[in-house]
Amino acid sequence: MSRLKVETPDRVQLTVEKLYKDLERHIIASPPGLCPVDLQLSFLKVCQAQTCGKCVPCRVGLTQLQHLLEDVLSGKATMKTLALIEKTAKNIEASADCAIGYEAAHMLVAGFDGFREDYEHHVKEGCCSVHAQHAIPCVALCPAKVDIPGYISLVGEKRYADAVRLIRKDNPFPTACALICEHPCEARCRRSMIDVSVNIRGLKRMAVDHAHADTVPVPEKCESTGKKVAIIGGGPSGLSAAYYLELMGHHAVVFEEKKKLGGMLRYGIPNYRFPRERLDEDLQAILSTGVEVHLNTRIGEGEGEISLKTLNNEYDAIYIAIGAHTDKKIGIEGENAKGVISAVELLKRIGDDDMPDFTGKEVVVVGGGNVAMDCTRSAIRLGAKKVGIAYRRRQKDMTALPEEVEGAIAEGAELYGLKAPHHIEADENGNVTALWVEPQIIGPIDAWGRARPIHADVPLMRIPCDIIIVAIGQGIDSKSFEDAGISIQRGAIAAAMTGEVQNTGGIFAGGDCATGPATVIRAIAAGKVAAANIDEYLGYKHIISCDVQIPEPDLADKVPCGKVQLAEEEAGIRKQSFEPMELCMSEQEACQEAGRCLRCDKYGFSALKGGRRLRW
């Protein structure tokens, strides 16, 4: 008789594994707007299914918590029930024998901290307080609330100009976002329940490339109101506000400090990702509405500057959208050595076509965000002999998009993970010779879910280099506005969610200068919000709409299908110049990818919540 046998997965276990993956996909595809109490009950049941039931806290406590949450959802609970839920969860958290029971209870405690008001609303009103303004997941997660299913269906029918028109209803930078948006809309795409999210940005790229966005006319403007609005800053936020204000009939006047419009779209994103001529497509459309522009104009009290007080007297409203264009220091010994430059400085020079010569140089970039990757890949294209990235966390913890990190490594960059900058070594002439880094080991998980690095008990490491590029974030030049009486909090302009600046009349602010450095689409959304609220402040309620007819859904079965990814030039070729590296889809690919959309604007949860917004 054999005592042991080699175990192989049986049919039951393989089926369970498949169900686990199906469940994981459903969780990933959970859209904003679902009842948080109902979701928490569902997660609690999953956790209980994993327990052994050996200890009382899990066997009895988790079952009791399920019954109490069901009472909340059914309208049988009282405020005492809520107190009992919280007490029970904390007791289980403190006494469970294993991590399964502890984490299940901890999740419930965290829910009480995060949405107690919804629990109370269920008790008092007998229903959920969450009402999804946008029940379509991709639209809900797009800061500008672009009609994504609408333009996807238009691309599928090759109506590219109509797709651009529909996008512009909510976003006047369709070309910019088609090329460089971080596509948060894809994070909860319901297509993930079947296979993987739709390539939304790729389909937008298809629309702008084939419609030639600069030739698609903008909507007709409303009748002039005679009102004038000053826009301080000619970046994506300021120009978005200017575009919509002009469509509403107000005259927008943009004051830009630099010699060209575009803000960080021009001075923060290299040409290989976003060619300047493509930026001009969006700028031409925006300026065609009648926006007035004053370049090389700074707001302040200095000589040759225009004061905020003067603008306040001459204009009916003001929108401050100055962005975040100042660099941040590392705060280590030697950072003033020759050869240490900031990411802001480097990318600004590239944006002005003043290309530094890094030929034969060894370069180290400090940072792990998208800006750090832009600097890394730019340094390679500027002729550097060797480029390294020093980052204090792991590669998987980088805030840069994974494809940006992978692209930099493919082009020859070396990643020094878990290496925190310690000091900079310079020669007798003050020139950089090396970056000394402090090795780290990975430690506890922080509040954002990333593992925190901690000091490793090993010697410092020397990385020889001629140039160090610091890409650890940007700051806001708010001093002149603070002197003019604008409220500043933590270096940013204190503005409400509506864009209104505290304790001022008719002054609004938005974008990076109010929120801190963020994405282009968030800056665009801030400009849209400001335009709508400035319009209302001026005593109007203009409507922005689009009359494009959206195709009806294709009723064919949605079978599993792979996601079309945008191709790129081969790494060995693309790294030799700043020429665009990403390629557009073919029509065959675009039609297939558009056909993967489940049309949540017509089906699912959105059918009960009204579907798309035709105007705002």
Side-chain angles (χ1 to χ4, degrees):
M1 295 291 293
S2 300
R3 292 188 300 162
L4 300 175
K5 66 178 181 179
V6 176
E7 292 190 13
T8 57
D10 58 18
R11 184 180 179 186
V12 173
Q13 187 57 36
L14 289 173
T15 303
V16 169
E17 292 294 335
K18 182 179 181 299
L19 292 175
Y20 276 145
K21 291 180 180 179
D22 290 342
L23 177 61
E24 182 181 347
R25 286 202 298 267
H26 276 264
I27 292 172
I28 291 172
S30 296
L34 299 182
C35 173
V37 179
D38 200 2
L39 279 178
Q40 200 160 43
L41 175 59
S42 299
F43 290 146
L44 186 63
K45 289 179 179 178
V46 171
C47 291
Q48 190 183 32
Q50 295 177 318
T51 68
C52 65
K54 184 177 179 180
C55 68
V56 173
C58 282
R59 185 177 69 254
V60 178
L62 293 183
T63 301
Q64 183 63 22
L65 280 178
Q66 284 186 40
H67 295 328
L68 292 172
L69 262 63
E70 287 167 354
D71 287 345
V72 171
L73 292 170
S74 64
K76 300 177 182 179
T78 65
M79 295 304 290
K80 290 183 178 179
T81 307
L82 301 187
L84 181 58
I85 291 174
E86 186 172 25
K87 182 179 178 181
T88 303
K90 288 182 176 179
N91 285 339
I92 296 172
E93 186 181 33
S95 59
D97 285 350
C98 71
I100 297 173
Y102 167 83
E103 289 296 339
H106 179 70
M107 178 187 64
L108 212 66
V109 173
F112 255 91
D113 290 339
F115 43 84
R116 180 185 294 269
E117 295 81 3
D118 196 71
Y119 275 97
E120 294 176 353
H121 196 276
H122 271 285
V123 171
K124 295 175 182 177
E125 307 295 334
C127 63
C128 181
S129 66
V130 174
H131 178 77
Q133 294 182 352
H134 294 276
I136 306 167
C138 54
V139 177
L141 289 170
C142 173
K145 302 297 181 279
V146 176
D147 187 347
I148 293 168
Y151 78 70
I152 286 177
S153 64
L154 291 167
V155 170
E157 293 201 350
K158 304 180 184 179
R159 293 168 54 190
Y160 305 120
D162 282 344
V164 171
R165 288 175 57 208
L166 185 62
I167 293 166
R168 280 193 184 141
K169 176 175 72 72
D170 302 285
N171 174 5
F173 284 93
T175 304
C177 289
L179 272 72
I180 52 88
C181 185
E182 292 190 319
H183 47 79
C185 50
E186 295 183 21
R188 298 281 180 175
C189 176
R190 283 206 187 99
R191 180 72 198 199
S192 299
M193 293 188 294
I194 299 176
D195 36 55
V196 68
S197 64
V198 175
N199 190 341
I200 296 172
R201 184 180 70 83
L203 290 170
K204 186 184 295 180
R205 170 91 190 247
M206 186 71 183
V208 300
D209 280 8
H210 286 71
H212 304 291
D214 54 333
T215 66
V216 179
V218 299
E220 287 188 18
K221 295 169 59 173
C222 295
E223 185 179 344
S224 175
T225 63
K227 302 291 186 180
K228 293 197 306 179
V229 181
I231 311 288
I232 304 174
S237 188
L239 290 175
S240 294
Y243 173 80
Y244 290 118
L245 288 168
E246 283 286 348
L247 292 184
M248 293 171 180
H250 313 303
H251 185 44
V253 183
V254 175
F255 297 90
E256 170 55 46
E257 180 183 10
K258 295 183 175 64
K259 61 184 180 182
K260 292 182 180 180
L261 292 174
M264 293 305 284
L265 288 173
R266 184 181 298 279
Y267 296 106
I269 302 174
N271 197 74
Y272 68 86
R273 285 185 61 206
F274 188 29
R276 300 293 167 261
E277 60 270 19
R278 302 306 303 272
L279 171 60
D280 290 339
E281 293 178 15
D282 288 335
L283 296 182
Q284 288 170 19
I286 292 169
L287 296 180
S288 72
T289 62
V291 175
E292 183 180 336
V293 177
H294 297 275
L295 300 173
N296 299 307
T297 305
R298 183 175 172 83
I299 306 303
E301 300 291 339
E303 185 178 350
E305 298 178 343
I306 300 176
S307 70
L308 191 64
K309 182 178 180 181
T310 299
L311 293 180
N312 213 6
N313 291 334
E314 295 180 1
Y315 292 84
D316 299 290
I318 297 173
Y319 180 50
I320 304 171
I322 58 173
H325 294 267
T326 62
D327 57 347
K328 286 187 175 180
K329 303 294 184 183
I330 310 179
I332 60 175
E333 178 188 344
E335 67 178 325
N336 293 321
K338 297 174 186 176
V340 179
I341 60 177
S342 71
V344 172
E345 177 188 349
L346 174 65
L347 295 176
K348 181 179 183 298
R349 287 184 63 182
I350 293 173
D352 280 332
D353 294 321
D354 176 20
M355 300 294 188
D357 184 7
F358 288 173
T359 303
K361 304 288 187 180
E362 294 189 10
V363 179
V364 173
V365 178
V366 179
N370 284 321
V371 173
M373 297 308 108
D374 286 340
C375 291
T376 300
R377 302 175 81 172
S378 294
I380 293 171
R381 286 160 174 78
L382 292 169
K385 179 174 69 175
K386 180 180 179 182
V387 181
I389 307 164
Y391 186 56
R392 67 192 187 96
R393 298 179 189 263
R394 301 167 299 180
Q395 178 178 339
K396 66 181 293 185
D397 300 317
M398 284 181 159
T399 57
L401 291 173
E403 55 263 35
E404 288 295 317
V405 181
E406 292 162 6
I409 294 173
E411 290 170 7
E414 184 172 350
L415 177 61
Y416 300 104
L418 290 171
K419 303 292 186 293
H422 185 271
H423 70 274
I424 294 170
E425 175 188 313
D427 62 18
E428 61 276 8
N429 297 318
N431 296 310
V432 169
T433 56
L435 172 68
W436 284 85
V437 294
E438 183 180 20
Q440 310 284 293
I441 62 171
I442 209 61
I445 305 295
D446 64 19
W448 302 102
R450 293 194 300 169
R452 187 173 70 247
I454 57 178
H455 170 71
D457 191 17
V458 296
L460 298 180
M461 173 181 169
R462 184 179 185 270
I463 305 176
C465 59
D466 307 296
I467 295 170
I468 296 174
I469 302 171
V470 180
I472 58 171
Q474 296 107 257
I476 298 152
D477 185 8
S478 58
K479 184 67 170 63
S480 60
F481 294 95
E482 187 173 14
D483 293 342
I486 298 296
S487 179
I488 305 296
Q489 291 181 353
R490 298 180 180 177
I493 296 174
M497 292 178 67
T498 58
E500 293 177 274
V501 176
Q502 295 178 8
N503 305 317
T504 63
I507 299 180
F508 295 73
D512 290 358
C513 69
T515 63
T519 59
V520 170
I521 190 62
R522 290 194 177 279
I524 292 167
K528 172 184 170 182
V529 167
N533 293 325
I534 289 172
D535 179 62
E536 196 159 291
Y537 168 78
L538 295 175
Y540 299 87
K541 205 172 184 68
H542 288 99
I543 300 298
I544 300 294
S545 61
C546 182
D547 59 358
V548 172
Q549 187 68 32
I550 307 299
E552 288 299 311
D554 181 359
L555 299 180
D557 290 342
K558 300 295 183 181
V559 298
C561 179
K563 178 178 182 177
V564 173
Q565 301 287 4
L566 297 183
E568 295 180 345
E569 290 285 0
E570 190 269 322
I573 297 174
R574 69 183 188 232
K575 71 179 184 179
Q576 296 177 11
S577 74
F578 280 87
E579 290 301 306
M581 64 177 191
E582 188 178 67
L583 307 176
C584 188
M585 294 180 183
S586 66
E587 283 195 345
Q588 179 188 7
E589 289 175 320
C591 288
Q592 175 179 298
E593 192 64 16
R596 296 179 65 239
C597 178
L598 300 182
R599 292 300 302 272
C600 297
D601 56 321
K602 290 287 187 178
Y603 303 113
F605 185 56
S606 61
L608 300 176
K609 295 292 184 179
R612 67 170 31 85
R613 278 189 174 184
L614 300 175
R615 60 185 190 173
W616 59 269

